[in-house]
Amino acid sequence: MIKQINKAEAEKLSKTVLREPTLVWDALNQVQKKSAFKFAEDYKKFIDNSKTERESVKEIEKILLKSGFKNIDSVTKGKSVSKFYKIYNKKAVAVAYCGKRDISKGVNIIGSHIDSPRLDLKQNPLYEEQDIALMKTHYYGGIKKYQWLARPLAIHGIAYLKDGKEVTITIGEKESDPVFSISDLLPHLGKDQASKKLSDAFEGEKLNIVTGSLPIGDKEIKERFKLTILNILYTDFKITEEDLLCAEIEVVPAGKSRDVGFDRSLVGAYGHDDRVCAYTSLRAIIDLKKIPEVTAVGFFFDKEEIGSEGNTGAKSKIIDDFISDLLVIKKEDSSQRSLRKAIISSSALSGDVNAGIEPDYQSVHEKRNAARIGYGICFSKFTGVRGKSGSSDANSEYFNKIRKIFNRDKIVWQVAELGKVDQGGGGTVAKFLAEYGMEIIDCGPAVLSMHSPFELCGKADIYMAYLAYNTFYKDMI
Ligand code: MN
Ligand code: MN
């Protein structure tokens, strides 16, 4: 028989055993609320300047240099340096703040990614059709194609000239710049399109950006609309059609991040996924007030959106390379065995965004296990799809350890799965780090409109991600 209890006892019991979700705004005092808004302003500056992985690397480096970190390649042998970074192929960064404990006993890692879904120009992009000059694209990462039509787009990228000179191209961000756009069908003639499935109604090969409609020369000249564009590219940048073949030019939403809402409580921007985790973890490491017990390491990976492939993604051996550099710099044994020990003994957070419950699409979430905007940093014990396939599932012992230090520091946190069990899912860099045997769990803020050209993230959650990552670096032993 269960012992009956009175109302007061029931209330006491509830307080002891139940967990009520905490709204960050309710947990913060006035000073902290101000800090959250101030932090968002810093973040907006970062994200506005970091629309591609290359730009993110440059911004991260700028911030690191300002904060006393040194490029590992510039560190003279034998000199004792405790804060440094390394850049991989201009698209990924690793940073370390050396702690008191030996590297070979493990480090504390936060891994995030700095690539976002977008459209890449094809290698042979330029053509003309109906006296309009266009450029062909190949989308990168998971996008809902229709979201990219009929809106201002900017191009950001680099090209190399035949003489080897690197040229940076950014068009569409300044007020005085032109923008680009993908033309969409008018509703009046959309009958056939409207009857198609969404996945068929918008084709990848129709994601072509309009780049001009002014002819050069007279009617006798072949492809004179395309020639106009090539003329401009050559005049302004010395770029020829062949240079475009080996260029990397990305098409992204034009414009800056904006406060969203009457109360300005959200930030709307392109690329919160995952530059919000990149920025908050970067600040978390920079703002460490004293030398950490355990070396704090941040990885800012590229290519997460296409499966962490390539030599700048989490699947590459960047981790081995950087940790072995740490061993050498700290004058520890840097044999393969020591490197293995250092990595397998490490603790990690996979800093990546989670899907907040969409007010208008609540049915795709299982609400007892879904992230809510405003309820703090979100743990995903596992990711993967349908039966946890392809997932890294964090160990209970490890999760518990982090929960303890987060609670001690009054970090507001929640737990979530990406969606309903058989609805879909997603992966992060977690499983690639887990392959090394290190402990890892997914942990990041929730966003709305994920993978759209204008994602929403709550200022309370951005600030809480920063505090959480800082606590992890400070207290995880
Ligand atoms: Mn992500
Ligand atoms: Mn993503």
Side-chain angles (χ1 to χ4, degrees), residues 103-169:
I103 303 292
S104 58
K105 295 206 168 104
V107 298
N108 288 337
I109 297 171
I110 300 178
S112 58
H113 67 94
I114 49 176
D115 61 318
S116 296
R118 59 178 191 254
L119 311 174
D120 285 341
L121 285 194
K122 288 196 186 190
Q123 295 331 113
N124 239 327
L126 197 55
Y127 69 104
E128 63 176 63
E129 201 66 66
Q130 295 302 315
D131 292 351
I132 294 173
L134 298 121
M135 279 179 164
K136 295 211 66 77
T137 69
H138 191 142
Y139 62 94
Y140 171 98
I143 60 163
K144 288 168 102 173
K145 297 186 191 92
Y146 67 85
Q147 293 179 336
W148 293 74
L149 309 179
R151 58 162 298 140
L153 298 167
I155 61 173
H156 292 232
I158 57 124
Y160 282 91
L161 308 183
K162 289 182 189 83
D163 62 7
K165 195 178 158 231
E166 183 188 320
V167 184
T168 308
I169 309 160

Side-chain angles (χ1 to χ4, degrees), residues 109-280:
I109 297 171
I110 300 178
S112 58
H113 67 94
I114 49 176
D115 61 318
S116 296
R118 59 178 191 254
L119 311 174
D120 285 341
L121 285 194
K122 288 196 186 190
Q123 295 331 113
N124 239 327
L126 197 55
Y127 69 104
E128 63 176 63
E129 201 66 66
Q130 295 302 315
D131 292 351
I132 294 173
L134 298 121
M135 279 179 164
K136 295 211 66 77
T137 69
H138 191 142
Y139 62 94
Y140 171 98
I143 60 163
K144 288 168 102 173
K145 297 186 191 92
Y146 67 85
Q147 293 179 336
W148 293 74
L149 309 179
R151 58 162 298 140
L153 298 167
I155 61 173
H156 292 232
I158 57 124
Y160 282 91
L161 308 183
K162 289 182 189 83
D163 62 7
K165 195 178 158 231
E166 183 188 320
V167 184
T168 308
I169 309 160
T170 312
I171 303 170
E173 299 296 352
K174 282 189 265 162
E175 274 295 304
S176 55
D177 277 356
V179 294
F180 306 89
S181 192
I182 298 167
S183 183
D184 194 9
L185 194 56
L186 65 168
H188 317 63
L189 299 177
K191 186 173 136 302
D192 290 351
Q193 187 187 44
S195 63
K196 283 182 185 166
K197 277 203 318 206
L198 190 60
S199 55
D200 300 331
F202 303 94
E203 297 164 40
E205 287 297 351
K206 287 193 165 67
L207 296 177
N208 304 314
I209 59 170
V210 171
T211 59
S213 61
L214 200 65
I216 195 167
D218 60 31
K219 280 187 201 160
E220 302 304 304
I221 295 167
K222 243 178 58 190
E223 296 195 293
R224 55 193 187 127
F225 295 90
K226 171 179 162 177
L227 205 55
T228 300
I229 310 306
L230 283 170
N231 183 38
I232 293 168
L233 286 175
Y234 191 69
T235 312
D236 293 354
F237 302 102
K238 288 275 166 290
I239 291 173
T240 64
E241 193 169 30
E242 187 174 299
D243 299 329
L244 288 176
L245 301 190
C246 33
E248 279 181 18
I249 299 172
E250 303 176 10
V251 181
V252 297
K256 291 185 172 173
S257 59
R258 301 291 296 265
D259 283 344
V260 172
F262 286 113
D263 58 7
R264 298 175 175 267
S265 61
L266 302 138
V267 178
Y270 162 66
H272 282 315
D273 177 11
D274 184 33
R275 293 171 192 130
V276 67
C277 295
Y279 183 72
T280 48

Side-chain angles (χ1 to χ4, degrees), residues 113 117 273 304-305 352-353 450-451:
H113 67 94
D273 177 11
E304 193 278 339
E305 296 296 355
D352 209 341
V353 296
M450 197 198 285
H451 280 208

Side-chain angles (χ1 to χ4, degrees), residues 44-61:
K44 279 156 65 186
K45 269 183 220 138
F46 173 79
I47 198 163
D48 288 342
N49 291 325
S50 308
K51 287 203 172 176
T52 66
E53 63 284 13
R54 286 175 188 267
E55 289 172 358
S56 303
V57 166
K58 282 191 182 158
E59 275 306 298
I60 289 170
E61 181 175 36

